[in-house]
Amino acid sequence: MKKYVLVTAMAVFVMFTACNTGGSRNASDSSADAPATEMMAADEQHAEMNVGGSCEMCKDRIEKVAGEIEGVTLASYDLENEKLHFHFDGSKTKVETVSKALAAAGHDTDNDKAPDDVYNSLPGCCKYRDL
């Protein structure tokens, strides 16, 4: 009986602490006790754009290129709908910068077309224009 009570108490303790740890924060956040609203950039914006892609390699490349731009805090590519959703600090970058970087990496966007030589150098599975 004591074992049952001890196991139950430990399970309740673990669930309570897990619910209060602020699990939605990023590991890179500097203060675990600061409210989430204080950790967002003052000029945080959200955007979505169409980006040509056809495989998981494209998804990885698109997210990497967008994520490496200074000011981009999140980049997530939906391969099925060929859409990039991203969050960024508007005081550090803008949508046009992300679009141009993706085109330079070989992926057409709503506003910028990838140069043919860059597109042609992509692996065969990444040739989204041919689909």
Side-chain angles (χ1 to χ4, degrees), residues 40-61:
M40 289 179 51
D43 199 13
E44 174 130 338
Q45 299 177 28
H46 310 272
E48 186 175 87
M49 72 172 70
N50 294 314
V51 181
S54 62
C55 66
E56 288 296 320
M57 285 176 59
C58 293
K59 176 181 173 26
D60 292 344
R61 185 181 311 106

Side-chain angles (χ1 to χ4, degrees), residues 67-90:
E68 288 178 347
I69 296 171
E70 183 181 358
V72 173
T73 57
L74 175 122
S76 178
Y77 184 67
D78 178 354
L79 184 59
E80 185 177 324
N81 295 311
E82 294 187 24
K83 290 196 180 286
L84 174 68
H85 175 80
F86 59 102
H87 297 194
F88 63 101
D89 180 343

Side-chain angles (χ1 to χ4, degrees), residues 19-66:
C19 291
N20 289 319
T21 60
S24 65
R25 293 188 184 123
N26 294 329
S28 64
D29 291 340
S30 60
S31 172
D33 296 327
T37 55
E38 289 179 8
M39 288 185 269
M40 289 179 51
D43 199 13
E44 174 130 338
Q45 299 177 28
H46 310 272
E48 186 175 87
M49 72 172 70
N50 294 314
V51 181
S54 62
C55 66
E56 288 296 320
M57 285 176 59
C58 293
K59 176 181 173 26
D60 292 344
R61 185 181 311 106
I62 291 165
E63 289 176 349
K64 181 179 180 198
V65 167

Side-chain angles (χ1 to χ4, degrees), residues 53-58 122-128 131:
S54 62
C55 66
E56 288 296 320
M57 285 176 59
C58 293
L122 294 174
C125 61
C126 297
K127 304 293 185 177
Y128 55 88
L131 298 177

